[in-house]
Amino acid sequence: MINERRLIRAEPSFGLTTKLFQISWIYVLLICALAGVGYAALYSAAGGSPDPYASKQAIRFAFGLVMMLCVALVDIRIIERLAWPLYGVSLALLVLVLRVGHVGKGAQRWIEFGGTQLQPSELMKIALVVALAAWFHRATWERMGNPLFLIPPALMVAAPVLLILKEPNLGTAVITALIGGTIFLAAGVRWWKMALVVIPIPFAARVAYGYLHDYQKARIETFLNPESDPLGAGYNIQQSKIALGSGGMWGKGYLQGTQGKLNFLPEKQTDFIFTMLAEEFGFVGCLAVLGLLLLIVLGAMAIALRCRHQFGRLVALGIGVNFFLYVAVNIAMVTGAIPVGGVPLPLVSYGGSASLTVMFGFGLLMSVHVHRDVEFKDRRED
Amino acid sequence: MKKENRTTGVFTRRALLLGAGQIGVLGVLAAKLYQVQVEEGARYATLAESNRISARLIAPPRGRILDRFGTVVGGNKLNWRALLMVEETADVGGTLDAFSQVVALQDHERARIDRELHRRRRFIPLVVREFLTWDDMARIEVNAPDLPGILVDVGTSRLYPEGPNLAHVVGYVAPPSEGDMGDDPMLALPGIRIGRAGVEKFHDLKLRGRAGAVQMEVNAVGRVIRELDRQEGTSGQDLGLTIDVELQKQVLSRLGDLSASAVVMDCRNGEVLAMTTTPSFDPSLFNSGVSQAQWVEWTNNRRAPLINKATSGVYPPGSTFKMAVAMAGLDNKVIGPGDRIVCPGYLDIGDTRFHCWSKYGHGALDVRGGLKNSCDVFFFELARRVGIDRLAAMANRFGIGVNLDIELPGARKGLMPTRAWRQSHGHAWGIGDTVNCGIGQGYVEATPLALCTYVSRVATGRAVQPHVTRTLSGVMQPGVQAADWPSMNLSERHLQLCREGMFAVVNDAGGTAPQARLGMPGMQLAGKTGSSQVRRVSRELREHGNFKSENLPWEYRPHALFVCFAPYDSPRYAVSLVVEHGNAGATTAGPLARDIMVDALTRDPVNRSEPQGQKLADRS
């Protein structure tokens, strides 16, 4: 029975209907649930109205959902072949954004793309995951032991990280580096080699601090003592904590929050959307949302573990880690645990760029799941 | 395949490790959320409340001041004013310059605005100009686009329908100074006024009322979203005075352009029915700001229009003081009711000769005769016998030289000297000082109000206190009934002797003030003259023979005083009158005081015209 199924899966290509059947619909449901939470939050952020946020977000999500399903049906081997072009394009866009990008909040992060704003760094994170997975896909255990083999992927991580730092976008740069590092780790790079790279980082950071922009320094300073300057840079964190704290255990009730509706919360519909939920649904509501997010993160891990090829495993793990880092950084940010850093809560925060790239990533994850048992022709060993 | 498995194995281990790490991180975040939301929740909930709620004060209308029959003597009128909302304009200087083009601002106004700009908190509107005319308002509204932050609104301002007639009693209001700020947040409101003089000052807190507050939900930029709660303030209490405005005006017309002060009191209960001071001033000038020229004119005026002479003008009481000396002598038994003292026209104390006003002397006089003739020697001798400290004690009992607790700030208590007082100034008390005090000269000083109180106490034998507050919020204040006031505990027989003396002054043949006879059927007036020297009359002048005080420069002439009560057999009203530098009490003050007493006795409130207050729809 098992062998029989394996035989079917081993076919180079199988029917679209079968593929649709193979999509993890439970996982899609989890994603839809998260989008639903986002819709509810944006509805509340607009003072109990679908306009201007929730309705647009819903349309975007519908579009993303279709895109995700389409990507899910693309053969994972084709994706593997497209890894390098995707990485190349993303890198080119990152260079482009530094030249022609729109300045937003003191940094060049956006480029106009077909009427919507595109943040190439978001795309880069997915492209990096796919490219690194493609690189490590064929690596034998022996080759993994060869330091020279690790130099190209290291450069593949370094190039976008440096470009993003130059925008400058410290938060995304750190996240991108973390994603790269995770792939290295999962691919089987030795711990000590990882340590060799990671340990000097704090010292490098100490030096790099001197080169930071004043607003970035201010964020870090404010992080260390947020209440020292409650109307300046610390305002966001302070107001965010007030919103969280005033929610208490059970919350003020849906649409009853005051902090967000009265605009005390900065960027309440984008980066600080979680505080809206926290204020209205309390700690219990927060735990429920955290649980949903954890299920999505662990679901990606499960898909990775279930996959039979290294490419798929690394892609799934990378996508999961990418999503996890969004979630962890965003929530740590709004609770005042780390400096504020322009990281949205994917599918909940209002905004197209992050949501679409995250949905694209989920599409790849679904593709990994659908094609979990396909066999790659080993081109190198041909 | 083994190699493949090894990679897979490492991946599986590390992926599981990573998954555990992710669970761990989310767990830590959940713990952080628990800390912020549940453990510190209460603190943040409070912060959220204070975030969204902004309280604003609403000033209640200031209480009105009414006379005893309800005539408004201090009311409110609408005051259109231009306010500057500092937060709503980017360029304050530019807005003010533009405003100047529309409604010219004087330099001193600009200076005041600049001062307040530094002093006030930015969210409190600042008054640019008050008392706008319709023309001003029209110009401001038309030019509104060029005047960002300028807002025309309506407040109230004080209205004094009686103007100078009651200025010294009612007082006036003015903007609070920096020193007044702090205790009451209401004082920071634009256009607020506080009492600065008279009952406006004394009853300021009651008249002011308590500010109400509106709690409003505001958003992060301070825009009002909705009203959450409204606490109405307590409006200021209406203050009813004992003053009878019509009588006040009659008295004023009697005084004309003299520099004088007259007090009419109900001698049964101390209610002040009229308290006049001439010349006077217009209290509403303080409301809108006193010009420099006006101020100079007031302060340079020798007749001191700003001073309430009735409570703050101190004069030697002269012969009007003699009843107190008589009472001191009788009460201390240094003279009996029938005992006589011989007046040869002078009294020698040591090597000093004290002259009686009549150089021929009065012969032997008892107390009644002493008062009737106002014999100086009689009272020199009496004072010498009593001694200054016992005399002072008696004078104090009659309200001379003590604080009368009148509700008018700035009231002076006059002076009743004692040995201790003199010693505290580094001098020994001399017997000559005592003798001078016996005729109300020397160091003795009293205000017209104190003299009126003194006469009331002589007339009734009760320690009535003068007061001007009759009702607060329509509630009658204690002290209306004669029985509310304690007895002086003086012998009625002794008091009656003094009253008889005063009666004789006016009504007996040979009394010193026949000019003050009432001339009304069935009623008599009892009074006492006084002419108090403001400059020592030298022996040379006295012996020159044709010394006439009328020939002196105005400020050296003696003050003319007259105190009286009527009707004699059932005392109702007491009047004290001081005419500054009016020469002789008998000729100048006596007839005037008599006229004032006639006015008081013939007042018929029933036939008076409608109170003006009902026509003033100033409080809706």
Side-chain angles (χ1 to χ4, degrees):
Chain A
M1 188 64 189
I2 290 166
N3 283 348
E4 200 175 72
R5 280 183 63 188
R6 271 197 62 197
L7 277 173
I8 297 164
R9 302 281 161 70
E11 288 296 313
S13 170
F14 47 99
L16 276 181
T17 327
T18 324
K19 283 188 176 184
L20 273 176
F21 186 71
Q22 287 297 322
I23 289 174
S24 171
W25 290 105
I26 292 179
Y27 200 74
V28 174
L29 210 64
L30 288 177
I31 292 168
C32 288
L34 185 60
V37 169
Y39 186 90
L42 289 173
Y43 185 85
S44 174
S49 156
D51 294 314
Y53 310 128
S55 54
K56 282 188 195 162
Q57 185 84 345
I59 292 166
R60 250 187 231 126
F61 177 70
F63 178 73
L65 199 63
V66 171
M67 181 184 71
M68 182 188 90
L69 293 175
C70 291
V71 172
L73 300 178
V74 176
D75 194 302
I76 192 75
R77 288 162 294 195
I78 297 173
I79 291 169
E80 193 245 5
R81 271 183 226 127
L82 289 175
W84 299 108
L86 183 66
Y87 181 80
V89 168
S90 299
L91 206 59
L93 285 174
L94 270 182
V95 174
L96 192 67
V97 82
L98 282 178
R99 295 193 168 270
V100 301
H102 290 269
V103 176
K105 293 174 192 161
Q108 289 176 302
R109 293 173 182 175
W110 309 88
I111 48 174
E112 290 288 335
F113 186 78
T116 57
Q117 291 173 323
L118 186 72
Q119 211 171 342
S121 55
E122 301 291 331
L123 189 62
M124 189 67 225
K125 286 190 277 188
I126 307 286
L128 182 64
V129 166
V130 176
L132 286 175
W135 179 266
F136 288 118
H137 169 53
R138 294 172 200 287
T140 60
W141 186 246
E142 285 73 21
R143 285 185 83 176
M144 289 298 294
N146 181 358
L148 289 178
F149 179 72
L150 297 179
I151 288 174
L155 291 176
M156 280 160 61
V157 177
V161 166
L162 289 176
L163 284 172
I164 295 168
L165 266 181
K166 192 138 194 319
E167 278 182 5
N169 188 343
L170 182 65
T172 310
V174 170
I175 288 176
T176 309
L178 277 175
I179 291 171
T182 314
I183 304 281
F184 270 65
L185 197 67
V189 176
R190 306 292 190 280
W191 285 108
W192 65 268
K193 283 182 190 160
M194 294 292 294
L196 212 60
V197 179
V198 171
I199 286 173
I201 285 178
F203 302 100
R206 188 74 200 87
V207 176
Y209 183 79
Y211 294 98
L212 287 180
H213 280 252
D214 280 344
Y215 87 94
Q216 289 171 318
K217 282 185 185 171
R219 275 183 183 175
I220 291 172
E221 309 266 315
T222 312
F223 159 65
L224 295 173
N225 187 9
E227 283 159 33
S228 66
D229 181 19
L231 288 177
Y235 180 82
N236 288 10
I237 291 175
Q238 185 65 13
Q239 293 297 334
S240 171
K241 283 173 98 170
I242 289 174
L244 286 173
S246 65
M249 179 64 95
W250 300 102
K252 294 177 181 170
Y254 188 48
L255 299 180
Q256 301 298 309
T258 58
Q259 282 286 101
K261 226 163 284 139
L262 299 174
N263 287 328
F264 284 106
L265 276 179
E267 301 177 46
K268 60 170 191 275
Q269 77 279 18
T270 59
D271 294 355
F272 285 87
I273 192 75
F274 187 76
T275 57
M276 289 279 308
L277 292 167
E279 190 184 10
E280 298 190 349
F281 296 106
F283 178 64
V284 173
C286 285
L287 275 191
V289 174
L290 273 182
L292 180 60
L293 292 165
L294 187 64
L295 281 179
I296 292 172
V297 168
L298 294 182
M301 283 297 165
I303 287 171
L305 289 170
R306 173 69 185 76
C307 184
R308 286 174 49 79
H309 42 85
Q310 183 73 342
F311 179 73
R313 284 196 288 251
L314 290 177
V315 166
L317 183 114
I319 300 295
V321 166
N322 182 30
F323 181 80
F324 166 77
L325 285 175
Y326 269 121
V327 169
V329 170
N330 180 271
I331 293 176
M333 169 180 93
V334 299
T335 52
I338 61 164
V340 183
V343 176
L345 189 61
L347 298 181
V348 181
S349 288
Y350 179 74
S353 186
S355 286
L356 281 181
T357 47
V358 164
M359 290 301 282
F360 179 64
F362 282 139
L364 293 175
L365 187 66
M366 286 295 105
S367 175
V368 169
H369 185 66
V370 170
H371 305 95
R372 55 192 178 270
D373 291 329
V374 297
E375 286 187 2
F376 284 75
K377 283 182 188 150
D378 199 333
R379 279 174 290 173
R380 270 172 216 277
E381 286 171 26
D382 271 349
Chain B
M1 240 18 235
K2 198 190 169 193
K3 292 163 190 168
E4 181 74 15
N5 285 344
R6 188 157 184 200
T7 316
T8 312
V10 168
F11 178 87
T12 307
R13 278 204 308 277
R14 293 193 174 173
L16 288 173
L17 207 62
L18 209 58
Q22 287 169 336
I23 293 172
V25 168
L26 289 185
V28 167
L29 289 178
K32 175 79 182 171
L33 278 172
Y34 182 83
Q35 183 206 336
V36 173
Q37 294 198 270
V38 180
E39 287 180 0
E40 299 174 7
R43 183 164 81 90
Y44 286 117
T46 317
L47 285 174
E49 281 295 296
S50 66
N51 239 348
R52 72 189 180 101
I53 291 173
S54 159
R56 286 191 194 178
L57 293 175
I58 32 178
R62 193 173 172 87
R64 294 178 306 167
I65 301 174
L66 314 165
D67 90 334
R68 65 186 294 122
F69 298 113
T71 305
V72 175
V73 295
N76 300 312
K77 64 177 176 191
L78 296 183
N79 169 18
W80 296 92
R81 58 205 182 168
L83 301 180
L84 173 65
M85 318 294 255
V86 179
E87 285 174 321
E88 288 176 20
T89 172
D91 176 14
V92 172
T95 298
L96 289 175
D97 289 341
F99 187 86
S100 276
Q101 301 289 317
V102 181
V103 178
L105 286 175
Q106 306 291 321
D107 283 348
H108 68 87
E109 287 181 281
R110 271 305 278 266
R112 174 189 59 82
I113 292 166
D114 287 343
R115 245 190 350 262
E116 291 197 9
L117 270 176
H118 286 106
R119 189 154 61 100
R120 298 221 170 183
R121 287 174 290 182
R122 288 177 67 80
F123 56 85
I124 293 177
L126 193 145
V127 178
V128 178
R129 170 60 80 78
E130 289 188 295
F131 309 107
L132 294 172
T133 63
W134 283 108
D135 283 354
D136 289 341
M137 276 196 285
R139 278 202 294 277
I140 291 168
E141 294 297 342
V142 165
N143 291 286
D146 300 331
L147 302 169
I150 292 286
L151 177 88
V152 173
D153 91 333
V154 61
T156 59
S157 114
R158 214 59 172 151
L159 175 73
Y160 297 112
E162 294 301 330
N165 293 342
L166 212 51
H168 295 106
V169 178
V170 171
Y172 50 86
V173 293
S177 70
E178 220 159 322
D180 301 316
M181 301 281 188
D183 50 343
D184 188 345
M186 197 170 130
L187 295 186
L189 288 173
I192 200 78
R193 298 283 192 272
I194 63 168
R196 278 311 168 99
V199 290
E200 287 271 33
K201 182 176 183 183
F202 186 85
H203 287 299
D204 189 42
L205 288 177
K206 288 181 177 112
L207 289 165
R208 200 192 289 171
R210 233 184 38 243
V214 193
Q215 291 209 317
M216 286 170 303
E217 192 168 88
V218 294
N219 68 7
V221 295
R223 184 173 294 277
V224 176
I225 304 297
R226 67 193 161 111
E227 200 176 295
L228 294 174
D229 187 25
R230 176 179 276 264
Q231 284 177 314
E232 292 298 340
T234 318
S235 16
Q237 300 181 33
D238 279 355
L239 169 64
L241 297 177
T242 58
I243 302 288
D244 173 355
V245 165
E246 292 302 315
L247 179 62
Q248 174 90 5
K249 287 196 274 196
Q250 284 176 330
V251 174
L252 278 169
S253 68
R254 296 282 183 203
L255 296 181
D257 56 0
L258 291 170
S259 180
S261 175
V263 177
V264 180
M265 191 184 282
D266 188 328
C267 61
R268 301 169 308 168
N269 58 14
E271 285 185 352
V272 177
L273 296 165
M275 181 185 283
T276 56
T277 290
T278 56
S280 187
F281 65 96
D282 184 355
S284 52
L285 291 177
F286 284 90
N287 201 9
S288 47
V290 177
S291 72
Q292 190 66 27
Q294 178 67 73
W295 190 255
V296 168
E297 200 252 85
W298 278 338
T299 46
N300 287 345
N301 191 332
R302 285 186 309 179
R303 299 174 174 213
L306 291 181
I307 303 291
N308 183 359
K309 297 187 178 79
T311 57
S312 306
V314 289
Y315 309 93
S319 302
T320 60
F321 187 63
K322 286 173 180 168
M323 285 81 80
V325 183
M327 283 306 295
L330 291 165
D331 198 52
N332 290 295
K333 300 190 166 50
V334 297
I335 188 169
D339 294 351
R340 290 169 182 265
I341 293 172
V342 175
C343 166
Y346 58 88
L347 179 68
D348 288 325
I349 306 278
D351 54 1
T352 311
R353 174 161 288 190
F354 291 85
H355 293 275
C356 187
W357 66 268
S358 164
K359 53 183 164 185
Y360 310 109
H362 292 98
L365 296 170
D366 63 359
V367 170
R368 189 172 168 280
L371 286 170
K372 172 188 168 188
N373 295 296
S374 197
C375 174
D376 290 340
V377 168
F378 182 91
F379 290 98
F380 289 149
E381 172 60 17
L382 205 50
R384 191 189 63 75
R385 291 187 195 169
V386 171
I388 187 61
D389 286 343
R390 288 194 291 184
L391 178 57
M394 181 56 73
N396 289 346
R397 286 174 78 175
F398 280 108
I400 291 167
V402 292
N403 191 349
L404 292 168
D405 295 327
I406 186 77
E407 307 94 306
L408 297 171
R412 294 173 64 180
K413 63 178 189 176
L415 177 63
M416 187 59 224
T418 59
R419 261 172 226 283
W421 170 82
R422 187 70 180 142
Q423 269 157 16
S424 75
H425 285 71
H427 299 282
W429 185 265
I431 184 67
D433 297 324
T434 307
V435 170
N436 262 329
C437 287
I439 59 163
Q441 294 280 157
Y443 302 111
V444 186
E445 284 177 337
T447 62
L449 183 73
L451 291 176
C452 203
T453 307
Y454 153 61
V455 173
S456 295
R457 291 180 181 182
V458 169
T460 60
R462 287 188 184 276
V464 294
Q465 288 278 352
H467 56 280
V468 294
T469 308
R470 190 154 181 269
T471 61
L472 274 169
S473 288
V475 177
M476 196 67 83
Q477 298 301 294
V480 175
Q481 302 301 319
D484 291 345
W485 301 102
S487 163
M488 298 272 290
N489 287 325
L490 290 171
S491 155
E492 182 60 27
R493 188 175 169 210
H494 295 165
L495 283 169
Q496 189 57 35
L497 268 179
C498 288
R499 293 175 201 143
E500 283 171 12
M502 290 173 74
F503 178 89
V505 165
V506 179
N507 300 292
D508 279 11
T512 53
Q515 305 94 325
R517 240 169 250 174
L518 201 53
M520 290 172 72
M523 279 191 224
Q524 286 85 35
L525 176 146
K528 184 74 196 76
T529 59
S531 308
S532 59
Q533 292 165 12
V534 291
R535 206 180 69 150
R536 188 179 173 84
V537 178
S538 70
R539 184 173 178 164
E540 188 192 351
L541 269 174
R542 186 181 300 280
E543 291 179 351
H544 198 254
N546 60 350
F547 164 73
K548 286 266 195 306
S549 57
E550 289 89 338
N551 301 334
L552 287 168
W554 182 76
E555 60 264 43
Y556 293 142
R557 293 178 200 164
H559 299 308
L561 295 90
F562 198 82
V563 296
C564 59
F565 67 89
Y568 168 70
D569 43 13
S570 172
R572 174 71 198 270
Y573 299 114
V575 171
S576 68
L577 170 67
V578 175
V579 180
E580 289 188 339
H581 311 292
N583 280 325
T587 50
T588 312
L592 255 179
R594 189 263 326 272
D595 291 343
I596 291 167
M597 184 58 86
V598 169
D599 290 337
L601 288 167
T602 53
R603 279 284 292 134
D604 184 1
V606 179
N607 285 341
R608 54 186 284 147
S609 55
E610 278 292 296
Q612 283 177 317
Q614 295 182 0
K615 294 173 200 155
L616 284 166
D618 55 343
R619 292 183 70 186
S620 48

